[in-house]
Amino acid sequence: MILVTGGAGYIGSHTCVELLNAGKEIVVLDNFANSSRKSLERVLQISRKPFAVVEGDIRDQAVLEKTLKDFGCTAVIHFAGLKSVLESVNSPLDYYDNNVIGSHRLLRAMQTSGVKRMIFSSSATVYGDPKFLPYTEDHPLNPVNPYGRTKLIVEEMLRDLSASDPTWSIGILRYFNPIGAHESGLIGEDPKGVPNNLLPFVAQVAVGRRERLNIWGNDYDTADGTGVRDYIHVVDLAQGHVAALKSLEQTGCFALNLGTGRGNSVLEVVKAFEQASGKPIPYDMRPRRSGDIASCYAATDRATRYLGGWRATRDIETMCRDHWRWQSQNPNGYAG
Ligand code: NAD
Ligand code: WQD
């Protein structure tokens, strides 16, 4: 039995589908701070496999211990946390509380329950300004915002824990830019308020919820001047977690990039989305967004080696097509 914290969220819900498809038993623990119960109903609809749900907070050690015990969990996939860079700059204490203290309580509950296998959602944000590209896992770690620092602190906590007790098995997965949705169009990303990230914003323009996209900077040192990122299909990412679970059969602590190894510019993404949706995406060129870098993409060979040959296979056209199917079938997300 696998405990999936934050399993109702964007990446968590897609991973639940892949875990259930792979025949795993799961229990989801989520406080629904940034998600809806509907996503879990849809996970059931897609997988047709029932699973348990606990409404609870990762900062509540007692509920964690009870859940680990009652369900006989042997591993945890830990997605729960807050993820907005901008919000973390404005409310850093909320981010340290949720992401750092929450992860600490979870690890403590696992320790007291004798559950010593974890996969942790980290982020390419831990690398900070690139000293070289692609980012390898050995690139210096120097996050430039509070959100990224919470991820780095948890990573360090995990490395220290593994060093102190070598019977733990810990996989740290550093995601690049997850986009897209399950091919059914039943689950997808459903951000609250005005999206900060590119794809949800573009999709909301295409569906008529927003008028125009702002492109933050066209004077970067990239082929067309706009920012380049390593976009990875959320289903590829979810399947990477299933592969990582297998790697937990060995003890120790590893950190892996989950990306495609390829970069796409903002303008390339906009064009791909226009083609996928058949809708125009009007945009305005704006000054650079503070904190952004020109380019970011992953070295992927270590992940493929550790994860038994796993690699991201879906291209940017598929990502945009699947993202659009979700957005067009659910113009207001899970709110209906
Ligand atoms: P999400 O917000 O959709 O999902 C996070 C889930 O955790 C939500 O369902 C939320 O309700 C839940 N949650 C938050 N705080 C909680 C708490 N204290 N107790 C219980 N549940 C709680 O985000 P996502 O995009 O699915 O991201 C999942 C993880 O991956 C996060 O840790 C995020 O930092 C990390 N990550 C995301 C991205 C990205 O671009 N989406 C990139 C790199 C890393
Ligand atoms: C992508 C590109 C923008 C919005 C963030 C977090 C990172 C990770 C993923 C969690 C950039 C441009 C964007 C818009 C635009 N999350 N853009 N107009 O900044 O690479 O990464 O999400 O871990 O930690 O920092 O993603 O989608 O915001 O931006 O022009 O309205 O799109 O400038 O070049 P980013 P993003």
Side-chain angles (χ1 to χ4, degrees):
M1 178 68 74
I2 299 157
L3 171 62
V4 184
T5 73
Y10 173 45
I11 304 170
S13 56
H14 287 82
T15 304
C16 288
V17 168
E18 298 305 321
L19 289 167
L20 293 163
N21 284 347
K24 308 284 180 200
E25 289 188 309
I26 61 170
V27 49
V28 169
L29 182 135
D30 204 300
N31 66 358
F32 302 103
N34 195 39
S35 55
S36 153
R37 270 188 178 273
K38 269 210 182 125
S39 69
L40 296 176
E41 290 165 17
R42 302 271 181 93
V43 168
L44 177 61
Q45 194 180 335
I46 295 167
S47 67
R48 296 162 190 265
K49 299 202 177 94
F51 58 93
V53 180
V54 174
E55 181 161 1
D57 196 296
I58 53 164
R59 289 162 294 187
D60 183 345
Q61 198 177 316
V63 89
L64 292 168
E65 283 171 6
K66 182 167 167 30
T67 305
L68 289 168
K69 180 162 168 274
D70 287 356
F71 291 91
C73 298
T74 54
V76 176
I77 305 185
H78 177 32
F79 294 106
L82 303 177
K83 64 163 179 178
S84 157
V85 170
L86 188 65
E87 207 176 60
S88 80
V89 172
N90 295 325
S91 310
L93 295 184
D94 290 345
Y95 274 66
Y96 285 98
D97 187 36
N98 229 293
N99 295 2
V100 177
I101 294 176
S103 298
H104 177 266
R105 298 252 162 87
L106 173 59
L107 288 166
R108 184 67 93 192
M110 290 171 70
Q111 189 180 48
T112 56
S113 312
V115 180
K116 294 187 173 180
R117 290 179 179 191
M118 169 181 269
I119 294 172
F120 172 61
S121 300
S122 188
S123 168
T125 308
V126 295
Y127 294 122
D129 290 336
K131 303 274 178 260
F132 54 82
L133 286 172
Y135 288 113
T136 63
E137 287 82 353
D138 300 324
H139 185 283
L141 303 176
N142 188 21
V144 297
N145 54 64
Y147 166 70
R149 283 189 278 275
T150 66
K151 290 290 174 190
L152 180 56
I153 291 169
V154 177
E155 281 203 11
E156 299 290 19
M157 191 152 59
L158 291 168
R159 281 187 275 273
D160 287 340
L161 182 60
S162 167
S164 74
D165 177 353
T167 63
W168 280 79
S169 305
I170 297 171
I172 294 168
L173 303 182
R174 297 179 182 146
Y175 313 152
F176 279 66
N177 289 56
I179 62 169
H182 189 263
E183 62 177 4
S184 63
L186 286 169
I187 54 174
E189 189 170 11
D190 183 19
K192 293 201 162 113
V194 182
N196 284 315
N197 293 120
L198 180 63
L199 254 289
F201 202 106
V202 166
Q204 291 190 7
V205 173
V207 85
R209 276 174 68 181
R210 312 208 174 262
E211 269 182 23
R212 302 173 76 80
L213 170 71
N214 291 315
I215 295 187
W216 307 123
N218 64 350
D219 56 352
Y220 284 108
D221 186 15
T222 60
D224 63 24
T226 63
V228 166
R229 296 291 183 274
D230 184 338
Y231 296 96
I232 176 169
H233 196 297
V234 66
V235 174
D236 279 328
L237 192 62
Q239 290 170 346
H241 289 72
V242 180
L245 260 187
K246 233 188 146 14
S247 306
L248 293 189
E249 283 163 15
Q250 282 171 31
T251 56
C253 180
F254 60 83
L256 302 174
N257 289 336
L258 294 192
T260 64
R262 290 182 301 276
N264 284 108
S265 73
V266 176
L267 283 174
E268 285 171 343
V269 172
V270 168
K271 206 160 159 206
F273 205 92
E274 286 184 328
Q275 264 166 13
S277 64
K279 305 277 180 191
I281 310 291
Y283 60 79
D284 297 308
M285 287 298 180
R286 300 285 185 197
R288 294 180 180 194
R289 184 171 70 176
S290 118
D292 272 1
I293 53 180
S295 297
C296 166
Y297 47 95
T300 58
D301 41 317
R302 191 187 287 185
T304 300
R305 210 168 52 244
Y306 268 73
L307 302 181
W310 171 89
R311 62 178 75 244
T313 58
R314 292 161 178 85
D315 58 17
I316 194 76
E317 286 74 26
T318 308
M319 297 182 215
C320 289
R321 207 168 49 239
D322 290 344
H323 205 112
W324 174 241
R325 190 177 302 109
W326 151 253
Q327 184 70 74
S328 54
Q329 289 180 16
N330 305 271
N332 296 310
Y334 292 112

